[in-house]
Amino acid sequence: MSPHAQEEDPTNAYQSLSETTEHDDPRWAFGSGFEDVQAEIEAPVPDGVDAADLAEYCLMLGDDALVCSHRISEWVSNAPELEEEVALANTALDLLGQARVLLSRAAQVEGAGRDEDALAYLRGEAEFRNVGLAELGDDLDFGVAVARLLVFSTWRLALLSRLRDSRDPVVAAVAAKGVKELTYHRDWAARWALRLGDGTDESHRRMQAGLETVWPHVDELFRTSDVERRLVDAGVATDPAATRDEVDAVLDQVFAAATLTRPTLPGRGPLGGRAGRQGAHTEALGHVLDRLQSLARAHPGASW
Amino acid sequence: MSSEPTNKRTWPLYEVFVRGKRGLNHVHVGSLHAADDEMALHNARDVYTRRNEGVSIWVVRADLITASSPDEKDPFFAPSADKVYRHPTFYAIPDEVPHL
Amino acid sequence: MAEETEALEAQFDATVAADRRIEPRDWMPEGYRRTLIRQIAQHAHSEIIGMQPEGNWILRAPSLRRKAILLAKVQDEAGHGMYLYAAAETLGVDREDLTERLIDSRQKYSSIFNYPALSYADIGVIGWLVDGAAICNQVPLCRCSYGPYARAMIRICKEESFHQRQGYELLLAMVNGTDAQREMVQESVNRWWWPSLMMFGPPDGDSPNTQQSMAWGIKRHTNDELRQRFVDMSVPQAAALGITLPDPDLRWNAERGAHDHGEPDWAEFKAVISGSGPAHAQRIAHRRRAHENGAWVREAAQAYADKQAARVAGKGAAA
């Protein structure tokens, strides 16, 4: 069979590889639509805002996204159906994209020569600022995964929808894009909560158990840290305590439709007055960071 | 064309149609499995549009589609040389030629 | 009846000979259908099993940009598996059944995914060599005689080109990095080169089905033709990276206008496709575990959909 000219052409991609070393498809780098945000990362700190506070706040929002994205990524090649592989990976990618911009902003505002990777890979547990819910493991139990994402996305959506007005242009931009993403995540999680809650006896039991696993981490979401309090006054942050009613209302609506019961377990108390926002974590975070950071730390000075 | 007997229930097959932009028809882009219409729509956005906003999607259960079958006529009726089969399966979007 | 079949067969042959596409509801020879189901299913399985070696590194990716790229790539592979299972389903099989055949080892997947991904250089090399070989195999399939398969492949090939580029780009970054990184790349290429050559299948003399598949327009080139093309394209790429391909017999043959190369260890190839590949048991066990762990979820969604449908029907009846 004589080779067709049309068939030869497509392999040009292969031949032209060395010419495209700068290839950096934005879909992969930041998720689509983050190009504009990238330009704003270098924007000056808004007047009257403490740079250290702003950096810390970006770490809080960024670490929540990074660590939760890590947990969702654990599902890759383990999802209950192929369609859900795609949905879960999309969610993990969205959160990773948010984390990258926020960590880049934190590094920029900090002004100590670090970048997103230095912050993600070279900080220790106590320097992470995420809430406990983000680091909660699920042992590949879909009921726990759905419960965690339901609560996390409902809460984060409430935060981000308020942060669209933030005086920090990067926080505002991440929020504007993130609201669309989180709406999608919450929709996905809520629909799965319905299917599991009102599906079979087993799925009902497991979805309820998932909620019970997640519940002790809910109170922490609504505790306002000192940094947040100061930044609320400066017009940069939003007060998480003020989102509680909205989050409760959404969750109650889902629980009712899904025949689930709102858990009554007590919240996990702080450690000497400190919790995730102050760097006091559960034992799980160390294991997350062990995996996340191992390769980067094994090759100091390497570029990838 | 009969499927092999199976005692397991697979989620039903859906066909996905996407309107890439205003002014164009919905075009068949592929299939997926979903337990219900809403899941199908959600997954279609994830898989076939990467959540591109402003894109309109139709999903329809494959078993609800009525299709003509060319081979019911052929070969008793002379096939026309430029016959276009319209079975809604992976109907290519015209500009999706691989420029690799 | 025989006459009718003959007429149908003649029409089928004419369609294939004219390089037009066969569509799902057309008459087709049983052998054609069987061959396609086997090939498309094997291809779909390869995409899904192929998520594992790369998935093994997502959580440990050494930069956030690399993590995002790898996540997106592995996600694409799930999508490709879906497209291909859907193409197979137009031939009258269902995905659940094909998945069962995979995890019962009644159907195969590409031999390459029976090798482990042991370093991050493997992520680059899988993109460069494995996806590169896959592209060589797949580009001709965009013109396969079976319409749904050809259309799935067009979509897949378009996305695969990104995969290969990211792999090569990672390797370039690594060979321009530290000594340890350069060593990782060479070590990885040493492990993956021969298995990549095996991806094109056994030598032509030992590939009994090739002629029939070519006559049917399912296959467009022989295994050895594609392998040769892959070798010729890889040599300058390896040179640009400054790494050595582990084949002492590899040299340019000006007379042929192609590279002479050594033979892969075909005994190893046969052993690997018979199930003794270093990662085979792990891959199958992983896929089985995911499928079985998901059963209660799939059942729940179906039960919920049934309840909802009944509720809607009940409302309709009441109204």
Side-chain angles (χ1 to χ4, degrees):
Chain A
M1 174 173 294
S2 65
H4 289 253
Q6 285 163 317
E7 285 179 27
E8 301 293 329
D9 285 336
T11 57
N12 277 348
Y14 198 86
Q15 291 152 355
S16 66
L17 274 177
S18 49
E19 299 155 24
T20 57
T21 56
E22 296 306 308
H23 175 70
D24 194 10
D25 188 333
R27 173 167 73 91
W28 285 352
F30 284 98
S32 58
F34 261 122
E35 302 92 287
D36 303 340
V37 180
Q38 181 69 11
E40 292 180 12
I41 283 172
E42 297 182 9
V45 175
D47 288 343
V49 174
D50 182 77
D53 279 353
L54 177 57
E56 181 102 354
Y57 189 57
C58 288
L59 285 182
M60 293 176 186
L61 295 173
D63 288 345
D64 285 346
L66 177 63
V67 174
C68 191
S69 171
H70 181 98
R71 284 304 192 193
I72 296 168
S73 300
E74 292 174 348
W75 279 89
V76 170
S77 78
N78 292 300
E81 189 53 282
L82 297 183
E83 282 79 0
E84 304 310 327
E85 286 287 353
V86 179
L88 285 159
N90 265 335
T91 303
L93 268 172
D94 287 343
L95 291 172
L96 180 57
Q98 294 175 17
R100 294 188 61 195
V101 177
L102 288 161
L103 294 190
S104 296
R105 179 61 170 169
Q108 163 74 21
V109 170
E110 176 193 61
R114 295 201 279 186
D115 61 10
E116 51 168 322
D117 286 331
L119 290 176
Y121 291 96
L122 301 176
R123 278 181 300 154
E125 280 177 71
E127 296 168 273
F128 271 73
R129 290 291 175 265
N130 59 284
V131 292
L133 178 66
E135 69 205 38
L136 178 68
D138 59 35
D139 295 322
L140 296 182
D141 181 329
F142 199 65
V144 179
V146 168
R148 183 184 57 210
L149 188 62
L150 176 66
V151 175
F152 182 83
S153 60
T154 302
W155 168 68
R156 191 170 175 86
L157 177 57
L159 291 181
L160 293 191
S161 55
R162 287 160 174 79
L163 287 171
R164 285 177 293 188
D165 299 330
S166 171
R167 284 183 59 228
D168 182 68
V170 177
V171 170
V174 169
K177 179 162 191 283
V179 161
K180 296 174 196 159
E181 295 169 341
L182 267 303
T183 301
Y184 207 69
H185 305 167
R186 187 181 71 172
D187 184 60
W188 182 89
R191 289 187 191 288
W192 269 111
L194 289 188
R195 293 186 191 106
L196 298 183
D198 193 19
T200 62
D201 289 346
E202 183 188 8
S203 71
H204 177 86
R205 179 181 63 72
R206 293 181 69 157
M207 184 65 221
Q208 186 67 41
L211 285 177
E212 312 281 333
T213 303
V214 160
W215 212 253
H217 299 278
V218 170
D219 276 354
E220 183 191 356
L221 305 178
F222 305 104
R223 276 184 221 141
T224 313
S225 66
D226 293 340
V227 169
E228 285 167 307
R229 200 164 285 122
R230 289 194 294 271
L231 288 176
V232 168
D233 294 338
V236 167
T238 189
D239 184 357
T243 66
R244 177 138 220 174
D245 289 347
E246 179 185 329
V247 171
D248 276 341
V250 171
L251 293 180
D252 283 340
Q253 196 187 336
V254 174
F255 295 159
T259 69
L260 294 164
T261 311
R262 184 186 187 83
T264 52
L265 294 162
R268 184 176 61 93
L271 178 64
R274 298 159 65 238
R277 292 304 191 213
Q278 294 79 30
H281 293 280
T282 67
E283 291 172 350
L285 182 65
H287 298 282
V288 167
L289 297 186
D290 277 353
R291 295 186 87 174
L292 190 138
Q293 299 178 336
S294 60
L295 179 60
R297 284 183 182 250
H299 294 270
S303 55
W304 306 89
Chain B
M1 275 283 282
S2 64
S3 51
E4 291 181 25
T6 168
N7 51 7
K8 304 218 171 42
R9 283 182 71 195
T10 313
W11 289 344
L13 188 68
Y14 281 77
E15 301 295 341
V16 181
F17 300 79
V18 171
R19 184 209 299 283
K21 57 180 178 187
R22 288 174 187 279
L24 298 180
N25 285 320
H26 284 77
V27 175
H28 185 253
V29 294
S31 322
L32 52 76
H33 286 272
D36 56 45
D37 296 355
E38 280 175 348
M39 190 196 281
L41 207 46
H42 202 287
N43 290 340
R45 278 187 72 194
D46 273 339
V47 176
Y48 289 105
T49 74
R50 293 196 180 273
R51 301 194 207 154
N52 189 3
E53 286 177 28
V55 168
S56 163
I57 302 173
W58 291 346
V59 292
V60 59
R61 270 180 69 146
D63 58 9
L64 297 179
I65 294 177
T66 308
S68 72
S69 176
D71 60 356
E72 279 162 13
K73 284 184 279 183
D74 303 332
F76 305 104
F77 300 91
S80 66
D82 58 348
K83 176 165 55 184
V84 177
Y85 295 129
R86 303 187 79 89
H87 182 78
T89 305
F90 278 112
Y91 210 80
I93 294 177
D95 58 11
E96 279 215 340
V97 192
H99 293 297
L100 290 172
Chain C
M1 256 337 256
E3 246 174 62
E4 194 182 313
T5 305
E6 253 172 53
L8 288 167
E9 190 144 20
Q11 200 200 341
F12 172 88
D13 290 343
T15 304
V16 172
D19 208 11
R20 288 205 300 266
R21 301 292 167 262
I22 301 298
E23 296 297 342
R25 296 162 71 87
D26 290 343
W27 182 91
M28 61 188 84
E30 263 316 297
Y32 178 83
R33 184 188 301 278
R34 263 201 317 277
T35 301
L36 275 172
I37 290 173
R38 190 181 61 233
Q39 181 173 335
I40 300 173
Q42 190 166 319
H43 199 159
H45 297 331
S46 300
E47 296 283 355
I48 300 308
I49 295 290
M51 295 168 71
Q52 292 180 30
E54 292 172 300
N56 180 42
W57 286 96
I58 288 175
L59 299 175
R60 294 177 288 168
S63 75
L64 297 185
R65 177 170 170 274
R66 288 291 166 203
K67 188 188 289 284
I69 290 172
L70 189 57
L71 243 178
K73 182 181 185 228
V74 176
Q75 179 193 31
D76 278 349
E77 282 155 10
H80 296 175
M82 283 181 52
Y83 306 158
L84 288 162
Y85 281 124
E89 285 180 292
T90 65
L91 293 158
V93 287
D94 77 23
R95 193 205 284 177
E96 175 77 20
D97 186 46
L98 295 176
T99 301
E100 295 280 332
R101 291 194 215 181
L102 169 66
I103 61 186
D104 291 343
S105 295
R106 283 178 290 143
Q107 279 180 339
K108 296 186 194 309
Y109 53 88
S110 175
S111 56
I112 195 77
F113 300 119
N114 289 311
Y115 294 87
L118 300 175
S119 79
Y120 209 75
D122 287 15
I123 298 304
V125 171
I126 287 172
W128 173 43
L129 293 179
V130 175
D131 293 334
I135 288 172
C136 285
N137 270 330
Q138 290 172 355
V139 164
L141 289 174
C142 296
R143 298 178 57 250
C144 164
S145 63
Y146 188 59
Y149 192 24
R151 291 190 286 275
M153 290 317 305
I154 288 172
R155 214 183 164 93
I156 289 170
C157 283
K158 201 172 161 182
E159 296 182 354
E160 288 279 346
S161 68
F162 289 102
H163 294 183
Q164 201 200 10
R165 283 167 195 231
Q166 65 79 29
Y168 197 77
E169 189 224 22
L170 169 60
L171 295 179
L172 273 173
M174 291 183 72
V175 296
N176 289 314
T178 64
D179 288 345
Q181 285 181 297
R182 267 186 295 280
E183 278 165 34
M184 278 169 82
V185 173
Q186 182 65 58
E187 188 275 335
S188 173
V189 170
N190 292 350
R191 273 184 291 115
W192 289 96
W193 173 250
W194 293 110
S196 298
L197 290 192
M198 295 176 193
M199 286 176 69
F200 298 94
D204 291 349
D206 198 16
S207 179
N209 300 323
T210 293
Q211 285 314 314
Q212 179 62 75
S213 284
M214 287 180 77
W216 275 336
I218 295 174
K219 209 167 168 165
R220 296 274 172 178
H221 305 281
T222 71
N223 296 350
D224 287 336
E225 282 168 13
L226 290 168
R227 189 165 16 245
Q228 180 71 56
R229 187 183 290 186
F230 174 73
V231 170
D232 290 340
M233 290 191 296
S234 298
V235 168
Q237 297 297 333
L241 289 172
I243 56 116
T244 309
L245 296 174
D247 179 358
D249 298 324
L250 187 64
R251 62 181 56 84
W252 178 249
N253 181 330
E255 220 168 276
R256 289 203 303 126
H259 291 87
D260 292 336
H261 61 87
E263 280 295 306
D265 179 349
W266 293 115
E268 175 182 316
F269 175 71
K270 280 183 182 145
V272 167
I273 59 172
S274 315
S276 73
H280 174 76
Q282 175 199 336
R283 299 281 183 252
I284 292 292
H286 183 133
R287 184 72 192 97
R288 175 186 290 282
R289 191 171 60 241
H291 189 66
E292 290 176 355
N293 281 351
W296 71 273
V297 177
R298 295 189 298 274
E299 282 161 21
Q302 190 61 62
Y304 176 78
D306 292 347
K307 281 188 201 176
Q308 286 295 96
R311 281 170 201 148
V312 170
K315 267 185 205 160

